[in-house]
Amino acid sequence: AGVTEDDIKNDQSITSQIVTNGMGRHLQRYSPLDTLNKDNVKNLVPAWAFSLGGEKQRGQETQPLIYDGVMYITGSYSRVYAIDVKTGAELWQYDARLPEGILPCCDVINRGGAIYGDKFYFGTLDARIVALDLKTGDVVWRKKIADYKAGYSYTAAPLIVDGKVVVGNSGGEFGIVGMVYAYDAENGDLVWTRPMIEGHMGTLNGEESTMTGTLNATWPGDMWKTGGGATWLGGSYDADTNTLVFGAGNPAPWNSHLRGAGTPAEGNTGDNLYAASRVGIDPQTGDIKWHFQTTPREGWDYDGVNEVVPYTDKSGNKRYATADRNGFFYVLNREDGAFVSATPFVKDISWASGIDETGRPIFVEENRPGNPAASADGKKGEVIFASPSFLGGKNWMPMAFSQNTGNFYVPSNEWGMDIWNEPITYKKGAAYLGAGFTIKPNYDDHIGSLKAIDPDTGEVKWEYKNDAPLWGGVMTTAGGLVFTGTPEGEFIAFDDETGEKLWSFQTGSGIVGQPVTWEQDGEQYVSIVSGWGGAVPLWGGEVAKKVNYLNQGGLVWTFKLPKQ
Ligand code: PQQ
């Protein structure tokens, strides 16, 4: 009993529950509900609020799940809460006891769980996957994904496909190896693994399966052994082609000259596959079906992890869309991941002048951080200015697709950086960057920019500018609404066609969470978790003045229309 594969498959259309990250495994974050719409959203009021408590309130990036009258959320520091959706009262709480010495790069966040059968699944900052009893919060099983002392951690929502819990890993800043893992949902047995860096072997049922790529085809020497490519944002699943799609982060170290990627090479031998790529994976075996590398010869920390959303375009073609950290919005073919188009979704991209007809960037070589080995003292390579910044034209915060308009709604940021390279050698559990950087806003009056993008043309239909960088997820509805939140604390509903702000509510702390909506006893509810944090306050450089006054927090806000 409990949540079935059919419930998960139909999560987008079953409006009384939300059992997957992305409100459906396509991650469209689109609800067919229209009870709440452009005409009445102005009347939306809070139904209840719930505090996550705790002494240390840090970034709350979670997406709530809703099942059988209960809301399940994860919180900072690997906590889980079950809340009665009618009253907002707590039913149970699970607090993972974390060891000293965990090494998350970018705040102690968690982006949510998954429900299957009678269990709730989520990952912890010490790189474990935990299955909890839905009713009691008791641990059913708990498995180590990888060694936190080597820099591995876990922050993404798991993905359930066919009785398997599919997860990635974090740790790209520590020279880990990005990997996708599939566990048996019932007992936590490892079914298969798929490394993202060429030369590493996958496993299936406890035995070696196939090698990822070809050893030393695109990596020099032993660099592949600590090659990065963390799968830290999880994945999507395309039921039409039975394909898992995971992204791989930056190759390690950041200093591209150490990876043979610094200079254009014959046969693209310095591409460093499959870092900074999207990879299509067979969910049964873990074998790679296709790959598309957004940033070959990566040198700016343009992780390739951003979500890949299966959708149908305005002419009826089945496509994938992804808005990469490198500033380009890509459309790929659903069958084989083949390149269809790429258009800039932020202004001022300086590392590439465009994307050619094969999908390969046209590099601006002088905007690659310089080689320290070529400098006078061998200690610091030439400092260059590159845009977007390493936090990306878009970071982890998920975009949404609207079946109402056929457009994507992309939370983006307009910023660049000064960046330089330094020498570095790998040491277990130590930062493995070989780079220094300072982020700079590109405009005085805004960094954040929510954009409505027509995926067929790349045209920006409307834009909403925000002073601070946008760091929260987006949701669309059949009622013609686009929801998102800002670091300044505002939770906003926009008109999906015009971008007009139709409603907003001040939540009291910065929003870096992901909105959801569902229906309960004939009423439509909307929820968002508020609680400022994530990478921006840690790494934001000159962006600090736009965010250093913001208060931390940790509240679930749930809204509905007043009873008639
Ligand atoms: N996490 C955030 C956040 O939640 O605000 C922002 C980032 C991460 C980044 O900008 C990263 O580059 C990043 N990289 C890794 C990695 O390479 O393993 C992991 C994470 C993470 O797990 O949160 C982030």
Side-chain angles (χ1 to χ4, degrees), residues 399-418:
M399 62 184 183
F401 173 73
S402 169
Q403 294 180 10
N404 205 39
T405 62
N407 295 327
F408 279 88
Y409 297 86
V410 182
S412 72
N413 290 310
E414 305 281 356
W415 49 16
M417 63 181 165
D418 285 336

Side-chain angles (χ1 to χ4, degrees), residues 150-196:
Y152 286 91
S153 58
Y154 192 78
T155 58
L159 171 67
I160 310 277
V161 176
D162 231 357
K164 290 189 268 298
V165 186
V166 187
V167 302
N169 60 20
S170 294
E173 270 60 77
F174 298 92
I176 60 89
V177 174
M179 192 102 98
V180 182
Y181 312 75
Y183 296 89
D184 184 314
E186 202 43 48
N187 53 26
D189 287 350
L190 189 59
V191 181
W192 55 255
T193 60
R194 172 52 52 196
M196 289 291 108

Side-chain angles (χ1 to χ4, degrees), residues 16 18 92 112 141 143 200 259 484 550:
S16 59
I18 302 165
W92 55 256
W141 57 257
K143 298 278 168 174
H200 293 271
R259 292 183 270 102
T484 198
L550 299 171

Side-chain angles (χ1 to χ4, degrees), residues 179-340:
M179 192 102 98
V180 182
Y181 312 75
Y183 296 89
D184 184 314
E186 202 43 48
N187 53 26
D189 287 350
L190 189 59
V191 181
W192 55 255
T193 60
R194 172 52 52 196
M196 289 291 108
I197 301 295
E198 79 178 8
H200 293 271
M201 292 297 291
T203 63
L204 177 62
N205 298 321
E207 316 217 324
E208 285 198 341
S209 57
T210 52
M211 184 183 281
T212 295
T214 307
L215 181 64
N216 285 139
T218 69
W219 286 82
D222 279 348
M223 298 301 287
W224 60 278
K225 290 186 177 167
T226 50
T231 48
W232 60 268
L233 201 43
S236 54
Y237 173 68
D238 178 26
D240 293 354
T241 60
N242 187 34
T243 307
L244 296 168
V245 187
F246 272 70
N250 60 286
W254 288 22
N255 180 344
S256 61
H257 303 278
L258 296 172
R259 292 183 270 102
T263 41
E266 203 68 44
N268 301 331
T269 53
D271 280 2
N272 300 158
L273 289 168
Y274 297 117
S277 299
R278 307 301 190 284
V279 181
I281 298 173
D282 181 321
Q284 273 70 43
T285 62
D287 281 336
I288 294 179
K289 294 177 150 191
W290 53 260
H291 75 273
F292 177 78
Q293 191 173 35
T294 40
T295 315
R297 301 177 54 214
E298 200 286 308
W300 305 264
D301 193 33
Y302 296 150
D303 294 48
V305 295
N306 286 357
E307 73 283 7
V308 175
V309 179
Y311 72 105
T312 304
D313 75 10
K314 290 169 187 170
S315 322
N317 300 307
K318 292 190 169 190
R319 302 295 197 212
Y320 291 122
T322 188
D324 200 85
R325 198 142 143 161
N326 72 17
F328 290 95
F329 184 93
Y330 293 82
V331 175
L332 306 177
N333 183 12
R334 212 113 49 100
E335 282 303 320
D336 53 6
F339 175 74
V340 175

Side-chain angles (χ1 to χ4, degrees), residues 90-138:
E90 179 172 304
L91 300 173
W92 55 256
Q93 180 176 336
Y94 171 79
D95 198 338
R97 264 177 306 176
L98 297 169
E100 293 287 319
I102 53 168
L103 293 165
C105 70
C106 309
D107 200 6
V108 288
I109 53 91
N110 184 281
R111 302 195 185 87
I115 304 180
Y116 180 62
D118 53 4
K119 299 185 213 17
F120 178 87
Y121 302 89
F122 87 115
T124 57
L125 290 165
D126 57 346
R128 287 173 202 272
I129 177 90
V130 182
L132 301 176
D133 184 295
L134 268 185
K135 288 270 177 303
T136 61
D138 292 340

